Amino acid sequence: MHDHPTHEPCFASFPPAVLRPADLTAFSRGGGARTIPLVTKATGAEVFLTGQTLFDGGAGIALHTHNCPESVTILEGDAIVEIDGTEHHVTRFDTTYVPAGMPHRFRNASATEPMRILWIYATVDATRTVVETGVTARVDAEHTEAPTTTHH
């Protein structure tokens, strides 16, 4: 029934790591949002993908979907999250779960204070499809461009 004996980890090749967001590169998502990749294929991940996105006052990201489930925890500030057409006010440590294919977006509820989220995708091969344009790209592709690059 199991691919691995129960005493062996399912993915043993991922090396241990301590990742410090303050020491890592933030990649612009455009519109005042910057992403810091954390656990990714580049660090050896095989199962899930994590990172943080920092939002300046008033910043937000476009309505989009993913090819896998996503969970987001608010680390700092207050946000408005739209999930499948319904808006919710969320604050520090509130956590969302969005199934694959469900339209959603986050925006900073404050015009002046920063907001920060931790995101977790259920696969390292996560994609984002922008609802307005239908354009699909790998989430980790956003982490390979110059930090000053703007994504639309």
Side-chain angles (χ1 to χ4, degrees), residues 111-127:
T112 57
E113 297 300 313
M115 189 261 290
R116 178 186 298 244
I117 64 173
L118 168 71
W119 42 261
I120 303 167
Y121 296 106
T123 176
V124 291
D125 296 314
T127 62

Side-chain angles (χ1 to χ4, degrees), residues 90-148:
V90 288
T91 191
R92 192 171 183 208
F93 303 133
D94 289 348
T95 301
T96 63
Y97 170 81
V98 178
M102 185 166 286
H104 63 284
R105 66 175 149 200
F106 287 83
R107 74 176 188 270
N108 191 339
S110 171
T112 57
E113 297 300 313
M115 189 261 290
R116 178 186 298 244
I117 64 173
L118 168 71
W119 42 261
I120 303 167
Y121 296 106
T123 176
V124 291
D125 296 314
T127 62
R128 174 180 295 103
T129 301
V130 176
V131 171
E132 184 179 5
T133 63
V135 173
T136 299
R138 288 181 60 95
V139 169
D140 59 8
E142 298 168 350
H143 311 155
T144 59
E145 309 227 355
T148 56

Side-chain angles (χ1 to χ4, degrees), residues 44-108:
E46 297 176 351
V47 180
F48 58 88
L49 187 67
T50 73
Q52 293 181 6
T53 300
L54 296 74
F55 295 77
D56 293 337
I61 54 177
L63 191 66
H64 61 279
T65 62
H66 299 290
N67 63 334
C68 63
E70 176 189 34
S71 181
V72 168
T73 299
I74 307 302
L75 298 179
E76 176 185 5
D78 294 292
I80 303 298
V81 58
E82 178 184 335
I83 302 172
D84 203 23
T86 301
E87 288 191 347
H88 307 269
H89 180 265
V90 288
T91 191
R92 192 171 183 208
F93 303 133
D94 289 348
T95 301
T96 63
Y97 170 81
V98 178
M102 185 166 286
H104 63 284
R105 66 175 149 200
F106 287 83
R107 74 176 188 270
N108 191 339

